[in-house]
Amino acid sequence: MISVLFFQIYNVIASPNVLILIADDLGWHDIGLHNDLFQTPNIDALIKESIKLDNYYVNPICTPTRSVLLSGRYQIHTGLQHGVILEGQRIGFPLSDILLPEALRDCGYRNHLVGKWHLGFYREEMLPENRGFETHFGYLGGAEGHYSRSQCTGHWGHEYNPPNGLVCGMDFRDSGSNRNITNQYSSDLYTDRIEEIVSNHNTNEPLFLYAGLQNVHFPLEAPTEYLEYYSWIQDHDRRIFAAMTMALDHSIGRIVNSFKQRGIWDNTIVYFTTDNGGSSLYGGNNFPLRGIKATLWEGGIKGIGSIKIPGISPDTRNQMVHVSDIMPTMLNLTNCQVDKKDERKFDGNDQSEMLKFGGQSPTDQFLINIDPFNTRPSKSDKRKWNSDFDVTVQAGLRWGEWKILTGDPGGPSGWIFPPELQSKKLSFAPKMSQYEDPKFIKSQWKRRVALFNIAQDPLETADLSDKRPDIVEIMLDKLSAYNKTAVPPQPQVWDWAANPDFHNGFWQPWILDP
Ligand SMILES: *[C@@H]1O[C@H](CO)[C@@H](O)[C@H](O)[C@H]1NC(C)=O
Ligand SMILES: *[C@@H]1O[C@H](CO)[C@@H](O)[C@H](O)[C@H]1NC(C)=O
Ligand SMILES: *[C@@H]1O[C@H](CO)[C@@H](O)[C@H](O)[C@H]1NC(C)=O
């Protein structure tokens, strides 16, 4: 009895705090560590104090990455493999699956979400307060004005005819109630709340703070103080975007300081990540990687990421880590057990041993996606394969050094020149003809199957599918096996009852029956 009691008390005190910082749409070329012309000293310092993940992958868009991060389950197993959840869609993370905040709550953690949710809200049960968080200060959808907190959406079908085809509303909540705050910039507002949570936190209990930071997602809006700093960038979108990265960086500096001032920094696991690559349609950049956010090219999925583990010296890991590994890894690092039936559902692996001590990664392959709603009718690639996997469907898989893409990987499918370089006198003259106009949102890629050796060709310059049909067949069979475990995507319908006009101008849950 005494030893059990002692163990429990010891356990509570020994549990490290968990801080998850997600930067929204932060591209590979958008931090100082990867781009000399950008100033992100706080992000750079955090990464240098952590285990830097140099072979780390996320999903190409927001909802899939966040759902996989918090559940350890691939999006093909939760019906979230097509697109992001848009306001008014009856789509959400399945209530039958466990999320990291629920597991940590059961292990005694005090959990708070500040910022973006984006795992669905059509029913009350899907709200973060009902999925393990004590409080949520922020928004439910994927994007909104950084001052207005409002978001519009379309696609309502023929029966309804809203002005401009769009329905708009405010998306902002504070612990279960709608709030209307429009006079503060997102990163200031969220950082103020985070400082408040940290300073009020009882340090005898473990804290889980999940910061879904709104920067640097579009719309392109930034406070004047940051804009002035980058006035030398001629490209309009890139200039504002650069200022937004500076706002993000200041926010992260303040968050780190709040943990230090509370005396809990050294006992906090800090996981910093982007949710997907940068969108060059809105100022982001992934140079020198190919493609952008929402494509299956490296620019869409190769993530900036780091994990600081108490007691472990800073280092860099080149071992493969996928965002699906985060849930099992966090459970180990926090010494928090979940039910065996939930554990069996994890697609990712516990990386805690590798992160702490190096050695082999337990992850040697990961599914990028299989999206049956995204097919390529193009007849330009007539090659036949033995595998039964339908190669007109957009899919991607990484296996060791190999990466296969099927269907249309998405566009722009080329390499995007960093616009800020045009504003500097360069000692070298990059050939602009090599670069694609980001406004080419249509994919220029016409084949149905592509194979790259990412270890030797990280920029995806040479499609080896004709040279290595043996590898193609193995990987198509693997994709086919994954496909057999998939559930269908949740239906993509818009529900008129979600219209904020019926809810005092707010996006909020609209289906009340259980
Ligand atoms: C964490 O991982 C280590 C090493 O693999 C293992 O021995 C330990 O049992 C794991 N702990 C938990 C709580 O899963
Ligand atoms: C995945 O499996 C379903 C059900 O068997 C099948 O209809 C579909 O064509 C498969 N998708 C691919 C991309 O092969
Ligand atoms: C929020 O407040 C502003 C200013 O008072 C007002 O114009 C707007 O209609 C309010 N929005 C909602 C959704 O209540």
Side-chain angles (χ1 to χ4, degrees), residues 199-218:
S199 71
N200 291 336
H201 175 67
N202 172 359
T203 56
N204 293 325
E205 297 172 300
L207 170 68
F208 170 37
L209 181 62
Y210 179 78
L213 303 169
Q214 189 172 350
N215 279 18
V216 288
H217 200 289
F218 64 78

Side-chain angles (χ1 to χ4, degrees), residues 126-153:
M126 291 179 165
L127 295 177
E129 307 83 279
N130 297 321
R131 301 293 331 236
F133 289 105
E134 289 175 40
T135 66
H136 173 216
F137 182 75
Y139 54 115
L140 298 167
E144 61 182 16
H146 287 268
Y147 293 96
S148 72
R149 327 237 108 77
S150 290
Q151 171 71 343
C152 300
T153 181

